[in-house]
Amino acid sequence: MFFVDTIEVPGLGNRSYLAGGERTAVAIDPPRDVDRVIAAAARRGVRIAHVLETHVHNDYVTGGLELARLTGAAYRVPAGARVSFPRVPVRDGDRTEVDTAAGLAVRALSTPGHTPHHTSYVLEDNGTAVAVFTGGSLLIGAVGRPDLVEPRLTERLAREQHASAHRLAAELPDDTSVLPTHGFGSFCSSSQAEGSDTTIGKEKASNEAFTRDVDTFVADLLAGLDDIPAYYAHMGPVNAAGPAPADLTPPAPADAEEIADRLAAGEWVVDLRNRVAFAAGHVAGSFNFEADGKLATYLAWLIPWGKPVTLLAESPEQLAAAQRELVRVGIDRPAAAATGDPADWVREGEEPASFPRATFADLADRRPAGGVTVLDVRRGSERSEGRIEGSVHIPIHTLRHRLHEVPGGEVWVHCASGMRAAIAASLLDAAGRAVVAVDDSFDAAEQAGLTVRTP
């Protein structure tokens, strides 16, 4: 008997895994907050004997080194990965016993493409392949991006992704479960596909790595690559050097005077409340990154790396959850924090700032008037599928550097659903602009009477 437990990291679009028998287990691609993995092992009553990395990650800080230290597990990392800490190098074909009494083992398969050293791990039950942990190689309906290592390697790695997918299909039965790390909203995925589970057989029937010849696959893969979050540039070096343990102790509390002083010093004050509450009232100059959205991805993408950040939350629980999200991408220690509401965060005699929210129907009613700019903050790949006629395009991840490009007058800012529009609206509001946040699905724009241009 064996088990495979999935440890979801939804904010980053990733999954980690714990697999084992009755006594011992192996952890694959653990997140930095390793207490979740340890708790999963405790629930199963197993000891973590091995920690496996499929590759040096570009999108999050790994917890592998710390998990191995805490549990005494062997830390197994692909031999081709250049790292600065002691580990057990894994080579193609290496077989590791997971639970001998249960007949469980993992076998390493070299699957370059997402990185040059990428390795997948086949879980074998008494010699029969039952699952394969594919990391950033074969995903659900897609493959991992080949462009995160070095631009000059991208096309070669794309071809290796194709070959690696075919190797997995050739060596594993069709009913083998495919368990990737990326691909559930992660920017490490070359495209976003639907579904939460798959097998080798299902992928052979539908994944473009199998349904297209290598030249067509590579051309389409390279043409479809999207923007790379800026913080990715920092994740690989941190992981190669060996990350420090996550520190989740509560930040120092900040009162209204300290919040004002930090804003005056040019630091970032981030309000974690939902966008409806933020628009209704907030500390002037603060930015809105919803705790329930893709907080880690977008805050890490937009903030100047290393800039002190103060977090404002509606509750200690929201603050703690956000802090956990942020350590996964290397935002380790908030400079300070406060909980409550804007009345607690503004100095005596001051009032919270606010701005209006609207729908696309509201925009259609307002649009004929002069002096209104419609700002689209979606990525270029999204805009290419449809755009409001006459709108200005500045992707959210570039807006901080391009505020001067936003035309004067009132700005109605939109994205695909409202979350990124709220971030953008807070940036514009902090810069003193008159802004309206369109909190609506882009699918409603044309229905509202706006002219939407498509290719």
Side-chain angles (χ1 to χ4, degrees), residues 382-427:
E382 297 172 280
R383 184 174 170 86
S384 68
E385 297 177 359
R387 57 181 173 80
I388 295 174
E389 185 176 52
S391 59
V392 175
H393 182 225
I394 303 178
I396 182 65
H397 58 276
T398 68
L399 180 60
R400 184 172 62 85
H401 301 290
R402 299 174 61 186
L403 289 171
H404 63 282
E405 297 180 29
V406 181
E410 189 175 81
V411 182
W412 289 57
V413 58
H414 81 85
C415 60
S417 62
M419 181 195 74
R420 287 172 292 173
I423 297 173
S426 71
L427 294 175

Side-chain angles (χ1 to χ4, degrees), residues 219-453:
D220 290 346
L221 176 60
L222 299 184
L225 293 173
D226 214 331
D227 300 302
I228 301 174
Y231 71 92
Y232 277 26
H234 304 282
M235 299 297 95
V238 167
N239 287 326
D247 182 354
L248 294 175
T249 56
D255 59 16
E257 288 293 339
E258 182 175 351
I259 292 169
D261 288 345
R262 290 188 177 279
L263 281 168
E267 298 181 10
W268 274 39
V269 174
V270 171
D271 191 323
L272 301 166
R273 296 173 303 142
N274 69 69
R275 55 186 180 264
V276 177
F278 182 87
H282 55 269
V283 177
S286 62
F287 303 137
N288 183 213
F289 290 80
E290 291 180 307
D292 293 335
K294 293 181 75 70
L295 167 67
T297 294
Y298 283 102
L299 180 55
W301 198 339
L302 270 64
I303 193 170
W305 198 251
K307 173 80 75 173
V309 60
T310 294
L311 299 179
L312 307 180
E314 62 186 13
S315 67
E317 293 77 18
Q318 185 182 64
L319 175 61
Q323 193 176 349
R324 181 177 290 270
E325 286 274 338
L326 294 177
V327 297
R328 294 172 182 159
V329 293
I331 300 178
D332 283 3
R333 292 297 301 158
T339 58
D341 59 52
D344 304 314
W345 305 331
V346 297
R347 292 177 294 192
E348 187 174 353
E350 296 180 349
E351 293 294 326
S354 64
F355 54 76
R357 295 165 49 253
T359 65
F360 281 110
D362 297 324
L363 175 57
D365 291 340
R366 179 74 173 84
R367 186 73 189 281
V372 174
T373 293
V374 178
L375 176 62
D376 180 351
V377 296
R378 296 173 301 160
R379 297 186 301 279
S381 59
E382 297 172 280
R383 184 174 170 86
S384 68
E385 297 177 359
R387 57 181 173 80
I388 295 174
E389 185 176 52
S391 59
V392 175
H393 182 225
I394 303 178
I396 182 65
H397 58 276
T398 68
L399 180 60
R400 184 172 62 85
H401 301 290
R402 299 174 61 186
L403 289 171
H404 63 282
E405 297 180 29
V406 181
E410 189 175 81
V411 182
W412 289 57
V413 58
H414 81 85
C415 60
S417 62
M419 181 195 74
R420 287 172 292 173
I423 297 173
S426 71
L427 294 175
L428 289 160
D429 177 69
R433 298 298 304 271
V435 64
V436 178
V438 178
D439 192 0
D440 201 357
S441 168
F442 186 73
D443 293 338
E446 193 166 23
Q447 298 171 12
L450 295 164
T451 301
V452 176
R453 298 296 184 191

